[in-house]
Amino acid sequence: MPLFANNQRIERPYTTTEFFGKCPHFKKSARSFRERAARTVGPQGLLYVQQRELAATTPADDAVTVMGSDDATTCHLVALRHTGSGAACLAHCDGSGTAREVPLIVRAVTSLSSHAHGGRLELHLVGGFDDDMRTSHNLSFQLLAAFDRQTEDIHLVTCCISELNDVVSGGTHRPVVYGIGVDVRSGDVFPASFPSRGPAEDLRSARTFAGGQMANIYDAGRGLVRIGPCKWSPNPDIAFWLTQDDDTILKHLSTSPLVEPPHFVQHIKSTIRFLLEHPNPDSLFPGGEPQLYCRSAEGGWERAPEGMQQ
């Protein structure tokens, strides 16, 4: 079934400009979303989603109160929620496999909603800006087209993407909203930032840097973050980047070098150091088992006891 907005069928557009011309109400709602003050969300009760990851849960989950992701420049943050079950999924998409990823997002929510009586799937898209290479626009179109191809009816509620998430500052186009949170209980989607990006931030970043595909990192039934097992090959040549200055790293390793957050270069270097320190990822996953993390008494994440591997 097709994508809907305001309970009306959205004809599949060929450009974001055409789409917003057919759905002008999104310009007003995106402006309202951009104007909301961003919340800084701490680690207690947070499930953080990195690039090329997704996670899904329900309001019955005692381990998670907010799912969140940020640092999206040309990337898009995708939140899908079933209003009947309250099940929600958050994904951080970078355009590396949109057609393959969208069905995973839909399935993550519908698999947690089989018991629901009534309700609908509501979609929230946030991210990108009016970048010169039109990387954001291409991803916006890919996501709209991919959701339109799904068999389920999907209602687009929030659409703050590409030119609708753009501001010009100092002559440079940049995103207004870099991150969002999803309140697992209420379903509210809000602008947010996240000082804590664990657990296993470097390991998860290394998986993506080494070419890993979209991965579901959360077991909602057990309240566990599940990482890996991951695969990559030793690549000592990446040590080259540790000797380069910030401008060189931004130019070659970012899709949007002028508007990355301040910690981007340090994050890249930390990821590269991790890959160099662990050239064989098998050592991180004894017996081929994933790394599991459960809630700690302090509200963050900690390695799960060995008995929880079963």
Side-chain angles (χ1 to χ4, degrees), residues 13-23 27 76 129-130 134 136-142 144 159 161-164:
Y14 292 98
T15 66
T16 55
T17 301
E18 179 186 351
F19 174 75
F20 295 130
K22 292 180 177 180
C23 302
K27 296 179 181 180
H76 286 35
F129 66 108
D130 196 5
R134 297 190 67 80
S136 301
H137 301 78
N138 290 336
L139 180 52
S140 293
F141 174 74
Q142 289 174 18
L144 291 169
C159 191
I161 55 178
S162 292
E163 58 260 52
L164 297 193

Coordinates of all heavy atoms in Angstrom, one line a residue, residues 13-23 27 76 129-130 134 136-142 144 159 161-164:
P13 N 6.8 11.0 -5.7 CA 7.4 12.2 -6.3 C 8.7 11.7 -7.0 O 9.3 10.7 -6.8 CB 7.7 13.1 -5.2 CG 8.0 12.2 -4.0 CD 7.1 11.0 -4.2
Y14 N 9.2 12.6 -7.9 CA 10.5 12.4 -8.5 C 11.6 13.2 -7.9 O 12.8 12.9 -8.1 CB 10.4 12.7 -10.0 CG 9.5 11.7 -10.7 CD1 8.2 12.0 -11.0 CD2 10.0 10.4 -11.1 CE1 7.3 11.0 -11.7 CE2 9.2 9.5 -11.7 CZ 7.9 9.8 -12.0 OH 7.0 8.9 -12.6
T15 N 11.3 14.3 -7.2 CA 12.2 15.1 -6.5 C 11.6 15.5 -5.1 O 10.4 15.5 -5.0 CB 12.6 16.4 -7.3 OG1 11.4 17.2 -7.4 CG2 13.1 16.0 -8.7
T16 N 12.5 16.0 -4.2 CA 11.9 16.5 -3.0 C 11.2 17.8 -3.2 O 10.2 18.0 -2.5 CB 13.1 16.8 -2.0 OG1 14.1 17.6 -2.6 CG2 13.7 15.5 -1.5
T17 N 11.6 18.6 -4.2 CA 10.9 19.8 -4.5 C 9.5 19.5 -4.9 O 8.5 20.2 -4.5 CB 11.6 20.6 -5.6 OG1 12.9 20.9 -5.2 CG2 10.9 21.9 -5.9
E18 N 9.3 18.5 -5.8 CA 8.0 18.1 -6.2 C 7.2 17.6 -5.0 O 6.0 17.9 -4.9 CB 8.1 17.0 -7.3 CG 6.7 16.5 -7.8 CD 6.9 15.3 -8.7 OE1 8.0 15.0 -9.1 OE2 5.8 14.7 -9.0
F19 N 7.8 16.8 -4.2 CA 7.1 16.3 -3.0 C 6.5 17.4 -2.1 O 5.4 17.4 -1.7 CB 8.0 15.4 -2.2 CG 7.4 14.9 -1.0 CD1 6.4 13.9 -1.0 CD2 7.8 15.4 0.3 CE1 5.9 13.4 0.2 CE2 7.3 14.9 1.4 CZ 6.3 13.9 1.4
F20 N 7.4 18.4 -1.8 CA 6.9 19.4 -0.9 C 5.9 20.3 -1.6 O 5.1 21.0 -0.9 CB 8.1 20.2 -0.4 CG 9.0 19.4 0.5 CD1 10.4 19.4 0.3 CD2 8.5 18.6 1.5 CE1 11.2 18.6 1.1 CE2 9.3 17.8 2.4 CZ 10.7 17.8 2.1
G21 N 6.0 20.4 -2.9 CA 5.0 21.2 -3.6 C 3.6 20.5 -3.5 O 2.6 21.2 -3.4
K22 N 3.6 19.2 -3.5 CA 2.3 18.4 -3.4 C 1.8 18.4 -1.9 O 0.6 18.1 -1.7 CB 2.5 17.0 -3.9 CG 2.7 17.0 -5.4 CD 2.9 15.6 -5.9 CE 3.0 15.5 -7.4 NZ 3.2 14.1 -7.9
C23 N 2.8 18.5 -1.0 CA 2.4 18.4 0.5 C 3.0 19.6 1.2 O 3.9 19.6 2.0 CB 3.1 17.1 1.1 SG 2.5 15.6 0.3
K27 N 6.0 22.0 5.2 CA 6.8 23.2 5.3 C 6.6 23.8 6.7 O 7.5 24.2 7.4 CB 6.7 24.2 4.2 CG 7.1 23.6 2.8 CD 6.9 24.6 1.7 CE 7.3 24.1 0.4 NZ 7.1 25.0 -0.7
H76 N 19.9 10.5 7.5 CA 18.5 10.8 7.9 C 18.2 9.9 9.1 O 18.6 8.7 9.1 CB 17.5 10.5 6.8 CG 17.5 11.5 5.7 ND1 18.6 12.2 5.3 CD2 16.5 12.0 5.0 CE1 18.3 13.1 4.3 NE2 17.0 13.0 4.1
F129 N 20.2 18.3 4.7 CA 20.1 19.8 4.5 C 20.3 20.0 3.0 O 20.4 19.1 2.2 CB 21.2 20.5 5.4 CG 22.6 20.2 5.0 CD1 23.4 21.2 4.4 CD2 23.2 19.0 5.3 CE1 24.7 21.0 4.1 CE2 24.5 18.8 5.0 CZ 25.3 19.7 4.3
D130 N 20.4 21.3 2.6 CA 20.5 21.7 1.2 C 21.9 21.7 0.8 O 22.5 22.7 0.6 CB 19.8 23.0 1.0 CG 19.5 23.3 -0.4 OD1 19.7 22.4 -1.3 OD2 19.1 24.4 -0.8
R134 N 23.9 17.4 -3.2 CA 22.5 16.9 -3.1 C 22.5 15.5 -2.6 O 21.6 14.7 -2.9 CB 21.8 17.0 -4.5 CG 21.7 18.4 -5.0 CD 20.8 18.5 -6.2 NE 19.4 18.2 -5.9 CZ 18.5 19.0 -5.4 NH1 18.9 20.2 -5.0 NH2 17.3 18.6 -5.2
S136 N 21.9 14.8 0.5 CA 20.7 14.7 1.4 C 19.4 14.5 0.6 O 18.6 13.7 0.9 CB 20.5 16.0 2.2 OG 21.7 16.3 3.0
H137 N 19.3 15.2 -0.5 CA 18.0 15.1 -1.3 C 17.9 13.7 -1.9 O 16.8 13.2 -2.0 CB 18.1 16.2 -2.5 CG 18.2 17.6 -2.0 ND1 19.4 18.1 -1.6 CD2 17.3 18.6 -1.9 CE1 19.2 19.4 -1.3 NE2 18.0 19.7 -1.4
N138 N 19.0 13.1 -2.3 CA 18.9 11.8 -2.9 C 18.5 10.8 -1.8 O 17.6 9.9 -2.1 CB 20.3 11.4 -3.4 CG 20.7 12.1 -4.7 OD1 19.8 12.6 -5.4 ND2 22.0 12.2 -5.0
L139 N 19.0 10.9 -0.6 CA 18.5 10.0 0.4 C 17.1 10.3 0.8 O 16.3 9.3 1.1 CB 19.5 10.2 1.7 CG 19.1 9.3 2.9 CD1 19.0 7.8 2.5 CD2 20.2 9.4 3.9
S140 N 16.7 11.5 0.9 CA 15.3 11.8 1.1 C 14.4 11.1 0.1 O 13.4 10.5 0.5 CB 15.0 13.4 1.1 OG 15.7 14.1 2.1
F141 N 14.7 11.3 -1.1 CA 13.9 10.6 -2.2 C 13.9 9.1 -2.0 O 12.9 8.4 -2.2 CB 14.4 11.0 -3.5 CG 13.7 10.3 -4.7 CD1 12.4 10.6 -5.0 CD2 14.3 9.3 -5.3 CE1 11.7 10.0 -6.0 CE2 13.7 8.6 -6.3 CZ 12.4 8.9 -6.7
Q142 N 15.1 8.5 -1.8 CA 15.2 7.1 -1.6 C 14.3 6.6 -0.5 O 13.6 5.6 -0.6 CB 16.6 6.7 -1.3 CG 17.6 6.8 -2.4 CD 19.0 6.6 -2.0 OE1 19.3 5.9 -1.0 NE2 20.0 7.0 -2.8
L144 N 11.5 8.1 0.9 CA 10.1 8.3 0.5 C 9.7 7.2 -0.5 O 8.6 6.6 -0.3 CB 9.9 9.7 -0.1 CG 10.1 10.8 0.8 CD1 10.1 12.1 0.1 CD2 8.9 10.9 1.9
C159 N 8.1 15.4 8.7 CA 9.0 15.4 7.5 C 9.9 16.6 7.5 O 9.5 17.6 6.9 CB 8.2 15.3 6.2 SG 9.2 14.9 4.8
I161 N 13.3 17.2 6.5 CA 14.4 16.6 5.7 C 14.9 17.6 4.7 O 14.2 18.5 4.2 CB 14.0 15.3 5.1 CG1 12.8 15.5 4.2 CG2 13.8 14.2 6.1 CD1 12.4 14.2 3.4
S162 N 16.2 17.4 4.3 CA 16.8 18.2 3.2 C 16.5 19.7 3.3 O 16.8 20.3 4.4 CB 16.4 17.6 1.9 OG 17.0 16.3 1.7
E163 N 15.9 20.3 2.3 CA 15.7 21.8 2.4 C 14.8 22.2 3.5 O 14.9 23.4 3.9 CB 15.2 22.3 1.0 CG 13.8 21.6 0.6 CD 14.0 20.5 -0.4 OE1 14.8 19.6 -0.2 OE2 13.4 20.6 -1.5
L164 N 14.0 21.3 4.1 CA 13.2 21.7 5.2 C 13.9 21.7 6.5 O 13.4 22.0 7.6 CB 11.9 20.9 5.3 CG 11.0 21.0 4.1 CD1 9.6 20.3 4.4 CD2 10.7 22.4 3.7

